[in-house]
């Protein structure tokens, strides 16, 4: 029977493609990003305010050094921080840069704690209260899209089920 006439395999193939896209992207999910945004600013462009020892700006309360670490997107730090798409892209780039060297799993808890505490924030006990606030916004450690498939299995699953004849 042709592949297109096998509904179960077709649905599995579509889900597998979604998993592969998520795995290839490998970054913070929209849900987790939204929880962080709500904690930081109510998810509004709130401008800049003094925070501990420097200014934090915009939707994700991005500091100048954070903006530099994420690759200096947009036309400037404050402008980017107050533009949701630019700021979200900055947070994604920052997470992709540091999650691999943090020693922590790539999940919402780690991303939130890194956002709050810097590149190794997921190991810092002082970031737990921040994580608790993110959880109050509806996120869990597994608020990552499609984290249920271990990354090393994803390509095996897709090739096995997409290209194996029965």
């Amino acid at each position: 029977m042709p592949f297109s006439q096998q509904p179960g395999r077709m649905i599995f193939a579509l889900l597998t493609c979604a998993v592969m896209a998520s795995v290839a992207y490998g970054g913070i999910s929209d849900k987790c990003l939204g929880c962080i945004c709500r904690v930081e600013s109510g998810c509004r462009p709130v401008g800049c305010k003094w925070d501990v020892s420097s200014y934090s700006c915009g939707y994700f309360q991005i500091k100048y050094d954070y903006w530099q670490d994420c690759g200096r997107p947009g036309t400037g730090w404050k402008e980017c921080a107050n533009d949701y798409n630019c700021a979200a892209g900055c947070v994604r780039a920052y997470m992709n840069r540091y999650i691999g060297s943090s020693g922590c799993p790539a999940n919402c808890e780690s991303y939130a704690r890194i956002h709050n505490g810097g590149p190794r924030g997921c190991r810092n006990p002082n970031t737990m209260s921040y994580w608790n606030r993110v959880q109050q916004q509806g996120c869990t450690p597994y608020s990552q899209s499609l984290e249920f498939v271990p990354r090393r299995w994803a390509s095996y699953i897709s090739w096995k089920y997409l290209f194996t004849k029965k």
Side-chain angles (χ1 to χ4, degrees):
M1 177 183 313
F3 181 77
S4 62
Q5 293 177 354
Q6 299 173 19
R9 289 183 101 188
M10 183 67 93
I11 291 169
F12 187 82
L14 291 172
L15 286 173
T16 301
C17 288
V19 168
M20 291 305 294
S22 173
V23 170
Y25 178 69
I28 187 171
S29 71
D30 289 339
K31 181 172 183 174
C32 186
L33 202 60
C35 290
I36 292 170
C37 189
R38 287 189 297 279
V39 166
E40 292 293 352
S41 68
C43 221
R44 295 181 321 244
V46 294
C48 298
K49 58 185 172 186
W50 190 256
D51 177 31
V52 185
S53 61
S54 63
Y55 282 100
S56 296
C57 300
Y59 287 91
F60 295 95
Q61 291 298 284
I62 293 172
K63 294 182 178 292
Y64 182 77
D65 290 344
Y66 188 114
W67 176 75
Q68 286 185 310
D69 281 356
C70 79
R72 298 177 169 217
T75 58
W77 158 51
K78 293 176 183 178
E79 295 80 10
C80 180
N82 283 294
D83 174 278
Y84 182 82
N85 290 325
C86 187
C90 178
V91 173
R92 288 182 190 284
Y94 189 89
M95 296 307 152
N96 286 340
R97 178 176 182 175
Y98 290 115
I99 192 65
S101 61
S102 69
C104 298
N107 65 28
C108 189
E109 177 180 353
S110 297
Y111 290 132
R113 293 176 68 196
I114 287 170
H115 180 75
N116 179 247
R120 304 240 187 303
C122 57
R123 295 169 159 258
N124 184 341
N126 294 329
T127 61
M128 282 305 296
S129 61
Y130 181 81
W131 168 239
N132 290 334
R133 291 172 46 212
V134 171
Q135 285 182 296
Q136 290 170 359
Q137 298 301 314
C139 280
T140 68
Y142 302 101
S143 289
Q144 287 303 106
S145 57
L146 303 170
E147 276 290 318
F148 58 87
V149 176
R151 292 174 186 221
R152 67 177 181 264
W153 293 357
S155 61
Y156 170 76
I157 291 169
S158 65
W159 285 104
K160 181 175 189 253
Y161 287 97
L162 288 176
F163 301 107
T164 303
K165 293 182 180 182
K166 283 193 172 185

